[in-house]
Every structure is written in C-alpha cells, then in structure tokens.
Amino acid sequence: MLIGNVGKEPVIKYYDHDQAVAMFTLATTERGYTLQNGTQVPDRTEWHNIVLTRGLAKVTEKYVHKGDKLYIEGRIRYRTYDDQKGVRRYVTEIYADNMEMLSPKPVKETDDVQNQQQPNNFESIDKAPF
C-alpha cells in the first residue's frame, strides 16, 4: 500500500485487442522529525515504478496527471535486463491491483461561467405584479 504523488505524466501503451498498460513514478515521503537530543532527521522521499493494466490503465490515461495524489495497492515485482552496453540492470515495480485518486477534482472554468450566466429564477418572481 502506497500513498504518494505522481512524478511524471503517465505513459500509456496499447497492445492486442485494445488492452492498455500505464506506467508512471510515484513519490512517497516519510516526514522528518527531531530526536530528543536535538538531532534533525530530514524528510526521506522514495520513488516507486507503478504499472497498471487493463481498466486501471484506461482510467489512468483519462484522469491521472503529474502531481496528483494517489493511493495504490499492489504487488512488488522484480525484473532484470541487459542494457545496450551489456550491463545487467535491476528494476523493482509495483503492479497495482487497486488505485484511488486522493487529489480534489479541479473546477472547470466553463462550469463557473455557466453558473454565473444562468438567470436567477427569483428575479422574475420579484418583478411579477400581484
């Protein structure tokens, strides 16, 4: 289980039969503190590679952006590969089973403009002759 902020815009890749995979980094921060003897322990930020598949990948494509706060549940997977120079590289990824968006939904300007331009129904009642 991780709670953190998206580090980069998600990368979405499609393959067979409209199946999608989304990948992005997630930063989790453990807040710093002060020990009883006055020693300052600084904040510690860890970066995680997140992988989402199928429906979660499509939701990510539409709604997840850099800086958004997310809750992720998943499994850790390790893999290795050899880079172009033949050096063995190790990658740790979190394959997400569940994702919840924790960032508040942004207010669209068009919604604000529509609300301001709608007539107030009470004005017509006040002007009606009785």
Side-chain angles (χ1 to χ4, degrees):
M1 291 183 274
L2 299 170
I3 295 177
N5 293 46
V6 177
K8 294 186 207 174
E9 285 296 316
V11 174
I12 313 297
K13 295 183 180 180
Y14 281 88
Y15 59 98
D16 295 337
H17 307 295
D18 198 36
Q19 296 296 316
V21 174
M23 295 172 279
F24 58 88
T25 56
L26 188 77
T28 58
T29 302
E30 182 180 336
R31 296 290 171 212
Y33 53 92
T34 304
L35 297 174
Q36 287 181 342
N37 65 6
T39 304
Q40 294 284 337
V41 177
D43 288 354
R44 180 182 170 124
T45 301
E46 298 287 338
W47 288 90
H48 310 274
N49 297 311
I50 308 296
V51 179
L52 299 107
T53 57
R54 300 186 182 102
L56 284 177
K58 291 180 181 181
V59 168
T60 299
E61 180 177 30
K62 290 181 182 179
Y63 301 108
V64 175
H65 301 285
K66 179 181 177 180
D68 287 348
K69 182 166 257 181
L70 299 178
Y71 168 80
I72 300 284
E73 284 182 22
R75 303 173 313 280
I76 296 177
R77 287 206 182 158
Y78 304 101
R79 65 181 173 92
T80 61
Y81 67 95
D82 295 329
D83 68 8
Q84 294 175 349
K85 295 180 181 177
V87 177
R88 170 105 351 149
R89 300 288 180 178
Y90 299 89
V91 180
T92 302
E93 297 171 319
I94 307 298
Y95 276 72
D97 297 322
N98 185 22
M99 173 183 72
E100 291 184 32
M101 300 183 69
L102 302 176
S103 295
K105 184 177 175 182
V107 177
K108 295 180 183 177
E109 287 183 30
T110 55
D111 292 343
D112 290 341
V113 172
Q114 288 174 352
N115 289 339
Q116 291 173 0
Q117 293 178 352
Q118 290 178 350
N120 185 349
N121 292 335
F122 296 112
E123 289 177 10
S124 60
I125 294 173
D126 292 339
K127 294 178 183 178
F130 283 87

